[in-house]
Amino acid sequence: MTVEAGWTPTAEQIDGSRVVDFARWLGDQGVVSLDDPRDYRELHAWSAAEPARFWESVARYFGVEFGAKASEVLSGREMPGARWFHGASMNFAREMLKHGAAERDAVILVRDDGHRESITFGQLRDQVAAVAGALADRGVGQGDRVVAYLPNCIEGVVAFLASATLGAVWSQTGMDYAPAAAMDRLGQLDPTVFIAGTGYLFKGVQHDRREAVAELRVLLPVDALVVSIETGGVPRDDETPCDITWEQLQHFSKPVRTAVNVPFDHPLWVLFTSGTTGRPKGIVHGHGGALLEQLVSPGFHMDLGETDVFFWFTTPNWMMWNAQICGLLHGATIVLFDGSPTHPDTGLLWRLVEELGVTVFGTSPGYLQASARDGVEPGRDLDLSALQLIGVTGSVLPASCNQWVRDHVRADLQLGSMSGGTDIVGIFVASAPNLPVYDGEISGPALGVALEVWDEKGNRLPDGETGEMVITQPMPSMPIAFWDDPEGERYRDAYFDVFPGVWRHGDAITITERGTIIIHGRTDSTLNRNGVRLGSAEIYEAVESLPEVTDSLVVGVELPEGGYWMPLFVVADDGGDEERLRSRIIETIAGRTSPRHVPDEVIVVPALPHTRTGKRLEVPVKRILQGAAPRRVASMGAVDDVQALKWLIDFANKRNGGPDVGSTVLPTDAYEDWRVYHEQDLPRVLGAALDVFAEKGYHGTTTRQLADRSGLSVPGIYHHYKSKQDILLDLMMVIVDELIERSRFAVAEADDDPRSQFDALVSSMLLFHVYRRKGAIVSTSELRSLEPGNRRKYLERRDELQLMLDEIIDRGVSTGVFDTPYPGDAGRAIASMCAGVATWYRPEAPLSFDPLLDRYLSIAEAIVGVR
């Protein structure tokens, strides 16, 4: 069946595009002679096969100024480890500031209360130089960290560029983050400078964040210089933390107008993962890699240039803030927006596009769907003749959005879907000015991206089949490192653990016979019902086409007994008949997709949580429904609606047997008979992890080894766990949970006196370390392998046992049963002694357990001075 494009570029659009000019330039420069410079597919094939020549040509074409030339463009193609532009020096900020006429607007800020302000390119260059001078006077230089707690504001752009000018490293969060959540990110960096706003606007409401700033200042682990900026219309007061105001920072210092040349891979900024599961990971990007990516993605794929006005709705919490401000690299005017895109109504952003003459407008599928649902008519009511491209990212774009744009915005307007991530601050797949657009599909792989589709065994799949999206050649925008990951272990685990040497991004995709890309969703949240992989995007598109449905979430839950449960949670307008709504949803999904896409249950909820960048919490919700302790799989500070998450947690608790569910794996033994040990019955992933970690150690184990040992595929592992780190934490928590529960039963069974309870508890600890010795050894030896946040969770649980022992000893000392001047030290010595038994005792050894127990009980009693 022939599929027709929903949008096709004209000959004029193709010939006038920068990407075609680049292709012709390659031939003129003798780099490569393409059969047809207008053919995107041919250019892409060359760029993917020859990454060094492609990216070197990008730098030359855009006139990147190097302080020192590279001795080698690409040192090897191994991943991770490939090194780009070895020996080269440059500066990202210099490239950002060298375009744009002095009198032209550089940055425009709009708030949802109607407030607007702007600065020209000339003013931007002056302010950056002034702030850079002030920071340099205070000792800020290469490698120092400058962090910010700000809303969308012009000062944030200036501060970032000033930091980059000096070679300092930038990171930020939005002010909607709670102080603890912001601390989880910014506190990792030990910043030299802390730049803080005072408030922000949302839905016309002023949010005073001065107290939050004060709390965050106390939480930060170092004594950073505090720069205070009045934001959101909230004034500074005497209690506002402030070493120097923003206004003072721009005076009294000699401006720095010459950017410091730094190595190509010198850290530029640290972006953090969502942090919905565990501690947020800090992804470090370099000056050169970020620069080249942002020259290509907006420069070629969006055709952005000096006459454009570039507006991408985003917040400082999302990598699209970084991408948005990179419009300055191309001399475009950038538009920042602070507030809600639907206040006072859903048409607000469309009106801004008209009023500001926006030529490239970036948004999300959710906003397009909301516009359709609310009956917004931009094409009828507004003059959008300046608009040339609507860019879309953040989630899968439903085909219905393409049709809506043609019908209600403009029929000849390109709707360019793209996908990439925080991981590269850029794109893997995207539209292009010389590629047609097919509804529900992304036009093709981005330039410089060697993209393939693989099955779970690492075999390349033919067009039309669905599998893992992988990148087989290095890209300069790949992270230079993760923060606080000196050995690169977390970096390798994140992208290269499944297919060593090949980047696995975690998206399930199909390459069509047309060369377009269909993204089906994350592979760790892919629906796999009875062996049939289903795309959640298709379900979302169907259900959210109903006007009464405002949000939805579908997950596939593997049940302990081998079953599969696929619930669909929906948020609906108030006042409707829920049973009738469920019927409509089922009919719509079946009619627009297939009967196999119909969920097992439709559950109406008051609200659904998302990450602060708007992504659905598919994996955390799935894990919670499987019985995972919420504190292990989701951070309240990283979601946009805590009450919505709590509702789902309560729902899962009731479904799983009550609110006392406290761990991912519930004990299979009752433990009342705490002395009796059966063969340990762990779920197969944890059972495999216990064996392989004991044999090879955590860092010597790959996810593929865990999959092979457990009899699952690698994607099957990711259906259960997001990462190897999560597996280790769950395993260690299950082990310590059993030790604590057995010990509680032992103490409860003993007589109510310190001596009896002491003997029972020590006996329980000794028994456990004999009969669960493998788990005990893994927990002790791999404690260092837990990430700081996970280590804290584990130690908090383990300390419950120490507290139990200490309380018994203290009570024994106070009642005269024990006689030790050092009860705390005695408790720690006894706990260490019991744990040490696991390292040498074997149940089959000549010394049977009974005499060993008597011997060690006597030693323990001697330590506490039993009378």
Side-chain angles (χ1 to χ4, degrees):
M1 182 180 74
T2 302
V3 178
E4 293 192 5
W7 176 86
T8 303
T10 65
E12 183 181 9
Q13 287 171 320
I14 293 172
D15 288 330
S17 66
R18 184 183 272 177
V19 67
V20 171
D21 182 71
F22 172 67
R24 290 176 174 141
W25 178 88
L26 290 171
D28 294 341
Q29 296 293 312
V31 179
V32 61
S33 294
L34 302 171
D35 291 338
D36 182 3
R38 302 167 86 254
D39 184 348
Y40 178 88
R41 305 291 181 195
E42 185 183 5
L43 175 62
H44 171 265
W46 172 78
S47 73
E50 298 287 347
R53 295 175 67 198
F54 169 71
W55 291 106
E56 180 185 33
S57 299
V58 167
R60 288 177 53 204
Y61 177 81
F62 283 101
V64 174
E65 297 178 26
F66 289 101
K69 300 295 184 183
S71 59
E72 189 174 14
V73 174
L74 178 57
S75 306
R77 294 195 181 189
E78 66 278 4
M79 293 188 291
R83 186 167 186 181
W84 289 92
F85 290 81
H86 181 59
S89 65
M90 42 83 68
N91 188 283
F92 186 91
R94 179 168 59 224
E95 300 299 319
M96 288 274 279
L97 293 170
K98 72 182 186 182
H99 298 286
E103 68 280 1
R104 176 176 165 82
D105 277 342
V107 189
I108 300 173
L109 171 69
V110 181
R111 297 198 312 231
D112 70 8
D113 63 351
H115 172 85
R116 295 187 188 184
E117 58 186 274
S118 64
I119 60 171
T120 65
F121 276 96
Q123 291 170 328
L124 175 63
R125 287 188 272 264
D126 287 343
Q127 289 186 26
V128 168
V131 174
L135 293 177
D137 278 355
R138 287 155 180 81
V140 177
Q142 292 186 44
D144 290 327
R145 275 78 65 197
V146 177
V147 303
Y149 189 49
L150 292 170
N152 246 333
C153 59
I154 293 174
E155 293 89 344
V157 179
V158 173
F160 158 66
L161 290 171
S163 301
T165 295
L166 302 175
V169 184
W170 173 265
S171 192
Q172 67 178 346
T173 69
M175 301 199 79
D176 53 337
Y177 270 118
M183 165 61 191
D184 282 345
R185 292 154 175 80
L186 304 181
Q188 296 183 40
L189 305 181
D190 294 332
T192 301
V193 179
F194 171 45
I195 301 175
T198 51
Y200 67 95
L201 264 291
F202 191 75
K203 292 188 176 180
V205 176
Q206 193 178 71
H207 293 260
D208 185 339
R209 300 296 285 166
R210 290 173 296 185
E211 289 187 6
V213 170
E215 183 179 346
L216 179 55
R217 175 65 193 88
V218 172
L219 290 174
L220 286 174
V222 294
D223 187 21
L225 174 75
V226 181
V227 179
S228 178
I229 303 174
E230 291 188 345
T231 57
V234 178
R236 220 178 277 111
D237 63 14
D238 293 340
E239 302 300 318
T240 305
C242 178
D243 295 322
I244 185 172
T245 69
W246 179 254
E247 294 76 17
Q248 292 168 336
L249 200 68
Q250 297 182 63
H251 300 88
F252 314 119
S253 293
K254 182 179 180 181
V256 172
R257 296 189 179 275
T258 302
V260 175
N261 282 317
V262 295
F264 184 89
D265 57 358
H266 183 77
L268 171 68
W269 52 42
V270 180
L271 303 184
F272 287 93
T273 56
S274 63
T276 54
T277 56
R279 187 192 193 197
K281 296 181 180 66
I283 302 177
V284 186
H285 293 282
H287 276 242
L291 171 67
L292 293 184
E293 173 63 31
Q294 291 303 321
L295 289 173
V296 167
S297 50
F300 290 154
H301 289 275
M302 301 181 207
D303 208 30
L304 199 68
E306 291 196 356
T307 60
D308 285 302
V309 178
F310 183 35
F311 172 29
W312 202 293
F313 172 70
T314 183
T315 75
N317 299 323
W318 190 19
M319 54 79 58
M320 286 309 301
W321 182 91
N322 304 71
Q324 154 88 84
I325 67 170
C326 286
L328 298 171
L329 278 171
H330 303 277
T333 299
I334 64 171
V335 179
L336 307 178
F337 179 81
D338 184 29
S340 167
T342 58
H343 177 82
D345 58 76
T346 311
L348 173 62
L349 298 190
W350 296 110
R351 292 194 296 275
L352 290 179
V353 170
E354 177 193 43
E355 293 166 15
L356 299 175
V358 172
T359 56
V360 178
F361 172 43
T363 186
S364 66
Y367 182 70
L368 296 180
Q369 290 172 310
S371 296
R373 184 174 59 243
D374 294 347
V376 179
E377 294 286 349
R380 182 194 67 192
D381 300 336
L382 304 170
D383 177 8
L384 301 181
S385 56
L387 187 59
Q388 299 300 310
L389 170 70
I390 298 177
V392 182
T393 193
S395 60
V396 178
L397 178 69
S400 59
C401 287
N402 295 73
Q403 186 64 54
W404 183 83
V405 167
R406 287 195 296 273
D407 292 344
H408 300 274
V409 185
R410 209 172 72 224
D412 64 346
L413 182 61
Q414 183 182 11
L415 178 60
S417 180
M418 59 195 70
S419 181
T422 302
D423 320 81
I424 60 167
V425 198
I427 51 177
F428 290 121
V429 293
S431 62
N434 53 339
L435 280 178
V437 174
Y438 294 86
D439 292 1
E441 302 174 7
I442 298 177
S443 297
L447 293 174
V449 179
L451 180 143
E452 295 180 4
V453 182
W454 285 14
D455 67 15
E456 61 193 41
K457 295 181 180 178
N459 300 311
R460 184 175 182 177
L461 294 173
D463 291 350
E465 293 195 22
T466 300
E468 293 270 3
M469 183 179 86
V470 299
I471 312 301
T472 61
Q473 296 289 345
M475 298 169 57
S477 56
M478 289 175 175
I480 58 174
F482 279 5
W483 191 264
D484 195 22
D485 183 29
E487 303 300 320
E489 179 68 22
R490 288 188 295 160
Y491 184 16
R492 287 190 295 272
D493 282 351
Y495 309 113
F496 304 103
D497 194 33
V498 177
F499 305 119
V502 173
W503 177 293
R504 169 193 172 271
H505 194 60
D507 282 342
I509 70 167
T510 303
I511 300 178
T512 71
E513 61 185 11
R514 297 175 294 284
T516 60
I517 311 294
I518 299 174
I519 297 183
H520 303 281
R522 299 290 295 173
T523 51
D524 51 10
S525 58
T526 298
L527 307 173
N528 192 341
R529 183 190 258 172
N530 300 322
V532 179
R533 291 164 69 101
L534 306 175
S536 58
E538 299 169 293
I539 296 174
Y540 293 137
E541 180 183 4
V543 70
E544 292 181 13
S545 69
L546 298 172
E548 59 266 49
V549 175
T550 59
D551 200 2
S552 60
L553 176 74
V554 63
V555 293
V557 182
E558 295 84 2
L559 302 175
E561 64 274 14
Y564 193 81
W565 178 51
M566 195 173 92
L568 171 68
F569 298 92
V570 297
V571 180
D573 289 338
D574 295 335
D577 184 323
E578 288 191 6
E579 286 306 315
R580 185 175 179 180
L581 174 63
R582 289 186 179 95
S583 297
R584 285 200 65 196
I585 288 172
I586 291 170
E587 290 172 6
T588 302
I589 292 173
R592 296 184 62 159
T593 55
S594 76
R596 72 167 62 96
H597 286 77
V598 173
D600 296 312
E601 193 172 351
V602 177
I603 302 158
V604 180
V605 300
L608 285 168
H610 308 81
T611 69
R612 290 189 178 275
T613 58
K615 291 182 172 59
R616 293 178 168 96
L617 298 180
E618 290 170 324
V619 173
V621 170
K622 168 183 171 176
R623 296 285 312 284
I624 288 168
L625 291 171
Q626 286 177 316
R631 62 188 174 86
R632 297 189 205 162
V633 299
S635 168
M636 296 294 184
V639 301
D640 63 352
D641 190 334
V642 171
Q643 293 305 315
L645 180 59
K646 287 181 176 178
W647 191 97
L648 288 169
I649 292 169
D650 289 342
F651 173 85
N653 284 335
K654 293 172 185 175
R655 188 178 189 278
N656 292 335
D660 294 330
V661 175
S663 65
T664 302
V665 183
L666 297 176
T668 54
D669 296 326
Y671 301 148
E672 284 90 349
D673 195 347
W674 54 272
R675 300 175 184 83
V676 177
Y677 280 78
H678 302 294
E679 184 175 349
Q680 198 164 14
D681 183 22
L682 292 172
R684 54 181 172 172
V685 174
L686 294 189
L690 177 60
D691 291 339
V692 183
F693 289 162
E695 294 168 14
K696 301 177 180 295
Y698 173 78
H699 292 295
T701 299
T702 66
T703 304
R704 180 164 292 282
Q705 290 169 334
L706 294 174
D708 291 343
R709 187 68 65 93
S710 61
L712 295 169
S713 64
V714 170
I717 290 284
Y718 285 104
H719 278 306
H720 296 276
Y721 290 95
K722 184 180 179 182
S723 67
K724 190 175 74 171
Q725 176 71 199
D726 287 352
I727 296 173
L728 176 64
L729 175 63
D730 252 0
L731 176 63
M732 290 176 62
M733 293 297 279
V734 168
I735 291 166
V736 75
D737 283 347
E738 181 181 350
L739 170 58
I740 290 171
E741 292 309 309
R742 286 183 180 274
S743 297
R744 289 193 190 283
F745 278 115
V747 172
E749 181 188 271
D751 293 337
D752 190 21
D753 68 87
R755 170 70 182 275
S756 298
Q757 292 181 351
F758 177 81
D759 287 352
L761 179 53
V762 172
S763 298
S764 172
M765 294 165 67
L766 288 167
L767 277 168
F768 183 87
H769 286 91
V770 166
Y771 290 105
R772 295 287 187 257
R773 58 177 303 273
K774 185 187 293 186
I777 290 172
V778 167
S779 295
T780 301
S781 62
E782 299 300 347
L783 177 60
R784 66 183 185 278
S785 300
L786 287 176
E787 295 174 1
N790 289 340
R791 187 181 305 123
R792 185 170 59 250
K793 294 174 186 177
Y794 173 77
L795 291 175
E796 286 173 357
R797 180 66 167 147
R798 192 189 69 178
D799 288 348
E800 293 178 31
L801 182 70
Q802 187 68 55
L803 181 62
M804 197 186 314
L805 179 61
D806 291 346
E807 287 177 345
I808 292 172
I809 294 174
D810 287 342
R811 193 154 50 90
V813 171
S814 65
T815 58
V817 177
F818 302 149
D819 182 17
T820 171
Y822 311 110
D825 293 335
R828 286 189 289 273
I830 292 167
S832 299
M833 177 186 71
C834 293
V837 170
T839 64
W840 63 267
Y841 183 79
R842 303 292 184 277
E844 66 275 10
L847 179 63
S848 67
F849 184 72
D850 287 342
L852 173 72
L853 177 61
D854 290 342
R855 186 178 302 177
Y856 269 66
L857 267 177
S858 297
I859 295 171
E861 289 175 347
I863 291 173
V864 295
V866 170
R867 290 181 172 178

